């Protein structure tokens, strides 16, 4: 089951500069985290239990976000939807005809994640995320 929008990912060239802009806009401080498995540095803006805004700066030229910035410039990179069972949802999406980037869920910042290809989702990269429960590593 899809429960809510978990976060919106925005690709930026310079995290420090963009954090300053978003902190000014949102009146909120970001939590900064490097995510080597996704090759990005992230600034995470939380609003209680509501959807987050995540700014993504590539860690190197091989990062998929670096390729995105080169082709499309800064802007909306992906929308993440929270699900209660990532394995079941990935299978269900594939059955419904969506092209999976991840056949199997992998570990992400917030929990177990899997991506749907933007080509099968109206040009938007969709991430499914099953958040880690408190106490889980
Ligand atoms: N949103 C919409 N379209 C996108 C896209 C995105 N984020 N990224 C790529 N595309 C488009 C490209 O513009 C291109 O379109 P055209 O063929 O019309 O030119 C097409 O998809 C293929 O793109 P590409 O540059 O050739 O890139 P790849 O096929 O090598 O990879 C993708 C694309 C989506 C499979 C890859 O970026 C991926 O696996 N992404 C998932 C992982 C990820 O993005 N992680 C970032 C951090 C996430 C996090 O921490 O939350």
């Amino acid at each position: 089951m899809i429960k809510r929008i978990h976060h919106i990912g925005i690709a930026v060239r310079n995290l420090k500069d963009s954090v300053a802009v978003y902190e000014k806009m949102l009146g909120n401080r970001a939590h900064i985290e490097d995510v080597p498995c996704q090759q990005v540095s992230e600034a995470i803006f939380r609003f209680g239990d509501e959807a987050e805004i995540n700014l993504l700066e590539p860690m190197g030229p091989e990062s998929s976000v670096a390729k995105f910035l080169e082709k499309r410039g800064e802007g909306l990179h992906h929308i993440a939807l929270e699900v209660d069972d990532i394995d079941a949802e990935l299978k269900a999406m594939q059955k419904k005809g969506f092209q999976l980037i991840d056949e199997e869920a992998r570990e992400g910042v917030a929990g177990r994640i899997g991506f749907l290809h933007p080509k099968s989702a109206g040009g938007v990269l969709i991430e499914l995320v099953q958040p880690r429960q408190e106490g889980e590593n």
Side-chain angles (χ1 to χ4, degrees), residues 8-105:
I8 291 174
I10 296 172
V12 302
R13 293 187 199 283
N14 183 301
L15 199 63
K16 197 162 166 260
D17 291 351
S18 295
V19 163
V21 171
Y22 273 78
E23 284 188 344
K24 189 163 143 190
M25 184 202 306
L26 302 169
N28 196 349
R29 297 302 297 271
H31 165 76
I32 311 285
E33 195 166 327
D34 283 345
V35 188
C37 61
Q38 295 288 330
Q39 281 290 294
V40 288
S41 298
E42 294 197 4
I44 300 169
F45 289 90
R46 296 205 168 96
F47 309 88
D49 289 334
E50 303 299 322
E52 301 168 355
I53 292 178
N54 294 1
L55 306 181
L56 315 164
E57 181 196 271
M59 288 176 90
E62 295 309 312
S63 162
S64 55
V65 175
K67 277 173 88 178
F68 177 91
L69 285 168
E70 209 176 285
K71 274 198 172 168
R72 299 173 159 234
E74 292 186 310
L76 176 69
H77 181 265
H78 67 270
I79 295 177
L81 303 175
E82 180 175 328
V83 298
D84 57 353
D85 182 341
I86 183 85
D87 302 308
E89 285 302 330
L90 284 172
K91 280 201 184 86
M93 290 291 178
Q94 192 168 37
K95 248 188 175 168
K96 285 190 265 190
F98 293 96
Q99 187 186 334
L100 304 186
I101 293 172
D102 301 296
E103 300 260 334
E104 302 286 337

Side-chain angles (χ1 to χ4, degrees), residues 93 97-101 116-124 126:
M93 290 291 178
F98 293 96
Q99 187 186 334
L100 304 186
I101 293 172
L116 309 186
H117 202 287
K119 293 253 180 221
S120 67
V124 178
I126 302 289

